[in-house]
Every structure is written in structure tokens, then in C-alpha cells.
Amino acid sequence: AQSVTQLDSQVPVFEEAPVELRCNYSSSVSVYLFWYVQYPNQGLQLLLKYLSGSTLVKGINGFEAEFNKSQTSFHLRKPSVHISDTAEYFCAVSDLFTGNQFYFGTGTSLTVIP
Amino acid sequence: DVKVTQSSRYLVKRTGEKVFLECVQDMDHENMFWYRQDPGLGLRLIYFSYDVKMKEKGDIPEGYSVSREKKERFSLILESASTNQTSMYLCASTSSVPSYEQYFGPGTRLTVT
């Protein structure tokens, strides 16, 4: 089974500053990688996904992530955050062997400070 | 627009009660999932189903059961609710392999007193 590590449980950042949320996963076999966002009292919404091809993927709300196979990482970045980005962010992995099962990290709480 | 709905947003039950959490998806997805979400633990898989009347245990199935009588509906059952089952419960669905995205419902916040 895969394991997903989000090293930072809480990330405070000032408005308009850049941010990086880190994600590492355990296996280097063919994987699909995802970032989800959860606003307070809501379900999870897909931000972006990597399936194949270009290692830099762009998502909604100005977020992007880079797949690094050698480091088994998929870090999420945004060059300038807004107050509305305050939310919980989850990294997830699925692979060809587990098929439909997703493995989630423990989440990173991003707080944007005005 | 794709949609996964859950029967309740908030639920308060007493210890020992039987609790039903319902999930319905309108995307004709084969696969459905139940997770619980707790602070610091992320999402943990309780049960999932690949087809009608089929179910598979996830990482934390103890104290739970599920039912899938129709393709669009996946129910989570707490046979005898306990206080340690107080949590946020999230339902998700996805189409068959490969899984390009799981679609989530809004969640049910269950409190067991």
C-alpha cells in the first residue's frame, strides 16, 4: 500500500506571499497524484492532478504542482496567496496496482494572514 | 454538474443507537467509498464498493458496516454508535480503473453523546 506524507500540518503565510505545501509518497511505481482542497464544513474539491506527461501541472485558483519522480514528491505551490486560500489541503495518491483506492495524507492547514 | 449528496450535514446520536448515513451519486459511478476524517489523521478509509452488493473493508472497518443495494446509493451503518465514532464522515465516488478523480460529498458531522 502507498503512504503519503505531508510534513507540514500547519502553514501560516502572509497575504500575497508565496507558499509551498509539501507532499511525499512512498512508491515510485506508476502513480496518479492529486491535490484536494477542503474549505470549512465542506467536502473535498479537486485542485489539480498528475496522470502523465508534463511534470508541472496547473490547477484551479492559481495553484500548480510539480511531480518529481526521483524524490517521490508532488509539492503544491502558489506564487501569491489570497485570504480565500485559507483551507485544508490534502495530497492523495493512487496507482495502477490499487486501482480505485486513493491514499491521502494527513492534510496541511493553510492560514493566510492579512 | 456531477454531484454526490449525503443525507445529513449534522447528526447527533446517543451511545448505542443504530445510525445510518446515506450517500447518493448521480454520475453512474461503479465505485463508492466511505471515509472518516479526524484532525491530524487525515482521511481514513472505512469501506468501499466496486459494484452493487459488493463491499471491501478499508483500513478501519471495525464498528461499521455498509450496504449497496443500488448502484447510486452507498450506506454506512453504525450498528451501535459509540463516542469514539464522533467524526466527520465523507462519501466519495469514482468511475472504474483508472481513477482520475474521486468526487466527494459535503460530509456528515456526526456527534455521539
Side-chain angles (χ1 to χ4, degrees):
Chain A
Q2 289 275 357
S3 70
V4 181
T5 303
Q6 293 181 244
L7 287 171
D8 306 304
S9 59
Q10 296 185 0
V11 173
V13 62
F14 285 104
E15 192 174 14
E16 297 183 5
V19 70
E20 178 180 84
L21 306 184
R22 296 180 292 169
C23 173
N24 288 87
Y25 59 95
S26 60
S27 173
S28 61
V29 297
S30 296
V31 293
Y32 304 129
L33 298 157
F34 307 82
W35 276 100
Y36 283 83
V37 60
Q38 183 182 36
Y39 299 104
N41 297 315
Q42 294 186 25
L44 275 66
Q45 175 186 352
L46 183 69
L47 262 183
L48 48 78
K49 60 189 175 188
Y50 171 80
L51 305 179
S52 65
S54 172
T55 56
L56 183 65
V57 292
K58 295 188 183 295
I60 61 171
N61 302 338
F63 284 92
E64 62 182 33
E66 185 155 21
F67 168 54
N68 188 319
K69 187 174 182 179
S70 62
Q71 297 186 4
T72 59
S73 68
F74 190 54
H75 300 333
L76 181 71
R77 302 184 183 100
K78 186 170 183 178
S80 176
V81 295
H82 190 265
I83 294 289
S84 59
D85 294 322
T86 294
E88 190 88 15
Y89 292 80
F90 291 94
C91 181
V93 174
S94 70
D95 61 46
L96 294 177
F97 296 102
T98 57
N100 299 291
Q101 197 165 340
F102 277 44
Y103 299 89
F104 286 86
T106 52
T108 297
S109 178
L110 174 65
T111 301
V112 180
I113 305 163
Chain B
D1 196 16
V2 299
K3 186 165 283 187
V4 180
T5 56
Q6 295 182 230
S7 52
S8 304
R9 293 298 307 274
Y10 300 93
L11 210 51
V12 180
K13 295 291 181 181
R14 294 194 180 276
T15 301
E17 278 193 84
K18 190 169 186 176
V19 182
F20 292 86
L21 302 183
E22 304 284 339
C23 175
V24 177
Q25 51 94 2
D26 65 0
M27 296 163 282
D28 201 34
H29 282 166
E30 291 81 10
N31 313 300
M32 297 186 74
F33 305 80
W34 274 107
Y35 298 90
R36 65 174 283 175
Q37 181 183 7
D38 301 287
L41 298 178
L43 275 70
R44 293 181 291 168
L45 183 63
I46 305 171
Y47 268 97
F48 59 104
S49 169
Y50 288 144
D51 202 349
V52 175
K53 296 192 184 295
M54 295 185 67
K55 59 186 179 183
E56 297 284 344
K57 292 180 180 179
D59 300 318
I60 51 163
E62 295 79 18
Y64 303 94
S65 62
V66 290
S67 173
R68 188 141 182 227
E69 296 297 320
K70 294 184 177 181
K71 190 176 184 179
E72 67 271 19
R73 188 179 298 270
F74 192 35
S75 302
L76 180 69
I77 304 155
L78 287 67
E79 295 291 341
S80 177
S82 63
T83 55
N84 62 15
Q85 292 178 310
T86 291
S87 186
M88 170 71 96
Y89 289 88
L90 292 165
C91 176
S93 73
T94 186
S95 59
S96 295
V97 177
S99 302
Y100 292 151
E101 180 177 350
Q102 285 201 351
Y103 294 87
F104 283 85
T108 296
R109 187 167 293 281
L110 173 67
T111 302
V112 183
T113 61

